[in-house]
Amino acid sequence: MLAAITGCAALTALTLAYGTWAAIPYGAVPAAASATLLLWTVACWPRSRVRLARPLALAGGLSLLTTTFSAPPSAPWGSVWRLAEMVVLLMLLAVVARWAPRRQAVTAGVVAGAAVATWTLPLIPAPSVLPLAGAAAFWALPVLGAAVVGGYPRLVEHRRRRLVIETRRSQQLELARDLHDFVAHDISGIVAQAQAARFVAASDPGQALPALERIERAGLNALASMDRTVRMLHEANGNGITRPDALDAPDAPDAPDAPDAPDAPDVPEAPEPPAALTPQEAPAPQEAPTPKAPTPKGPPPEVTPRPEPLPGVDQLPALIERFTAVGATEARLAMPPATPGTLSRETSSTAYRMVVEALTNVRRHAPGAARVEVTLTPAVRNPATHPAPALKIEIQVVNDAGAAPATALRTRRARDGHGGRGLNALRERVQATGGTLSYGPYEGGWRVLAVFPQTRTLPQETT
């Protein structure tokens, strides 16, 4: 509305200034329209930047009509109005290329760009194909420059948003894998123990108590895994940065609490002082100039802790022991003692996840399996073609067929479409470390085989 009122006022002023419509100079009307559009853009910024495409297309159309149907001026400086109009159109074109919606920006850019590229064609005294093409190509360069000035920041912003979306998606997938690899393993153990306790409770009630204790331990492990994942969500960029609200929170109420005193980073832990001496043994809150000032005291108690490092192959013996204790399937581990030192931290964590996923699938899909073999051995290759030892290690998990029928839980999960994602996601993770993963039927049972790169070979006495 403001632009329309201003344009009408400008046209009326031109008519009054020159007496008649025919006396208005060549190009003054489209120049006044472009100037009006520029004033409206500035006055209504930033709301006008996304609405500018259609008015710019109208201004460009008016300029093309002037170029096509108006008689060129006879005076040497008769086209000065048109030159000023082109400058304004180029400025508006840069704004449209930066902020307008894509389709509207393309339409307005084509119309305004054609107007700028062809405005000098009526001014050529002896028009021919070559001079006309040269003039249009010359004035197309400013159009291209305006499109680059507005379009390049738009491209950078688009790439930044796309990177943010991809990063968030990768973080979501990472958290989903963590929940699947660790929490699902413990939850499946709880389900197996609950089913076993239900069967033995009627015949031998004394066996139910150990089952409940194992359920409790599995539940605590699941809670610990979920707690680690939640702390990862609360971190800032994964670097353990304190949240701003934690920095501004008063920390005086937390200072006198005896359980929180040993958590202060600037106080060394004493070897279990008596309970009566605990307040005197925690001098940190008393040394602070004021309990309200967090700066002299170092990190406040609300600092988000770093998550514990993910487990590696050095924790496989404990994993195998817990798996055997939970169910009726016996798991065995064959691993050279020096194996953890030959793998990088990422590879070791991925290998641990691979074994967890394989054992979880055994519990879910082969609950009647009597034996599970987990072996870690150096990869063997042909010594005739490769005399140097291979810097790779093979990890395989093999279980027999099992004779137990499918439980109601497994049947319901298969019907609802659960499962089947763990091994596919695990294959991507193994490939990211430079390894390979394969799985399938093996000697009447099932085998999961992975080959991981090593940082160094195993000592000869361990191989």
Side-chain angles (χ1 to χ4, degrees):
M1 181 64 69
L2 178 62
I5 295 175
T6 306
C8 293
L11 293 177
T12 304
L14 286 174
T15 305
L16 294 177
Y18 289 95
T20 61
W21 180 266
I24 298 177
Y26 172 72
V29 174
S34 301
T36 302
L37 186 58
L38 179 62
L39 293 176
W40 170 78
T41 303
V42 175
C44 299
W45 190 270
R47 202 174 39 170
S48 60
R49 62 188 184 185
V50 296
R51 304 179 181 178
L52 184 60
R54 293 177 180 175
L56 179 61
L58 294 177
L62 180 61
S63 179
L64 286 174
L65 291 177
T66 303
T67 301
T68 304
F69 298 104
S70 296
S74 57
W77 296 97
S79 59
V80 64
W81 286 95
R82 305 243 39 208
L83 181 62
E85 175 197 356
M86 297 305 118
V87 174
V88 175
L89 287 180
L90 290 174
M91 296 172 58
L92 296 177
L93 179 60
V95 175
V96 167
R98 174 64 180 92
W99 299 107
R102 182 181 302 176
R103 293 184 178 179
Q104 297 181 11
V106 171
T107 303
V110 170
V111 177
V116 174
T118 59
W119 80 276
T120 58
L121 301 186
L123 305 179
I124 299 177
S128 61
V129 176
L130 188 60
L132 292 177
F138 176 79
W139 280 99
L141 294 178
V143 176
L144 180 61
V148 171
V149 169
Y152 180 74
R154 183 184 188 131
L155 178 62
V156 172
E157 179 67 16
H158 173 72
R159 290 180 176 177
R160 186 191 66 83
R161 291 180 179 178
R162 185 174 180 179
L163 180 61
V164 169
I165 294 175
E166 293 177 353
T167 303
R168 289 177 178 175
R169 177 59 179 167
S170 63
Q171 290 176 350
Q172 292 173 353
L173 292 176
E174 184 70 19
L175 292 174
R177 293 189 185 107
D178 287 341
L179 290 174
H180 179 275
D181 292 344
F182 298 108
V183 179
H185 173 74
D186 296 320
I187 296 299
S188 62
I190 294 175
V191 173
Q193 283 297 320
Q195 292 173 343
R198 185 185 61 183
F199 287 119
V200 303
S203 59
D204 190 2
Q207 295 295 328
L209 182 59
L212 293 176
E213 294 176 352
R214 289 191 292 268
I215 290 175
E216 180 184 8
R217 287 196 298 268
L220 292 176
N221 291 332
L223 288 176
S225 300
M226 295 181 65
D227 185 57
R228 179 174 60 247
T229 304
V230 170
R231 285 202 299 268
M232 291 174 61
L233 289 173
H234 281 288
E235 279 189 338
N237 300 326
N239 295 323
I241 301 176
T242 307
R243 295 175 297 161
D245 56 350
L247 288 175
D248 297 334
D251 47 355
D254 294 334
D257 291 343
D260 293 338
D263 293 337
D266 53 345
V267 180
E269 292 190 9
E272 290 295 317
L277 300 179
T278 301
Q280 289 77 10
E281 293 296 327
Q286 300 176 4
E287 293 177 358
T290 171
K292 294 292 184 179
T295 303
K297 298 172 57 178
E302 292 85 356
V303 174
T304 304
R306 293 178 181 270
E308 298 89 352
L310 294 176
V313 295
D314 56 329
Q315 299 188 24
L316 285 180
L319 174 67
I320 298 300
E321 182 180 354
R322 292 197 303 268
F323 180 85
T324 303
V326 165
T329 305
E330 180 184 4
R332 298 177 182 177
L333 173 66
M335 180 180 68
T339 301
T342 64
L343 301 175
S344 64
R345 182 171 59 180
E346 180 182 3
T347 303
S348 180
S349 174
T350 304
Y352 182 88
R353 288 171 181 261
M354 173 256 184
V355 177
V356 169
E357 174 66 19
L359 294 179
T360 303
N361 288 338
V362 170
R363 183 174 288 148
R364 288 179 177 177
H365 306 296
R371 185 183 69 260
V372 179
E373 299 287 346
V374 181
T375 57
L376 288 78
T377 56
V380 179
R381 58 184 181 181
N382 190 355
T385 57
H386 301 84
L391 281 176
K392 293 184 179 180
I393 188 170
E394 291 183 353
I395 303 177
Q396 66 173 352
V397 182
V398 182
N399 64 278
D400 53 17
T407 61
L409 176 62
R410 292 170 55 206
T411 305
R412 184 172 64 253
R413 287 178 58 86
R415 183 178 65 248
D416 295 340
H418 293 277
R421 303 183 183 92
L423 289 175
N424 293 330
L426 185 62
R427 173 178 289 169
E428 297 177 0
R429 185 182 292 274
V430 172
Q431 292 176 351
T433 62
T436 59
L437 178 70
S438 60
Y439 48 87
Y442 180 77
E443 296 181 357
W446 189 266
R447 180 179 71 170
V448 180
L449 175 63
V451 179
F452 292 97
Q454 293 177 290
T455 57
R456 60 183 179 87
T457 59
L458 287 170
Q460 293 295 328
E461 60 272 11
T462 63
T463 58

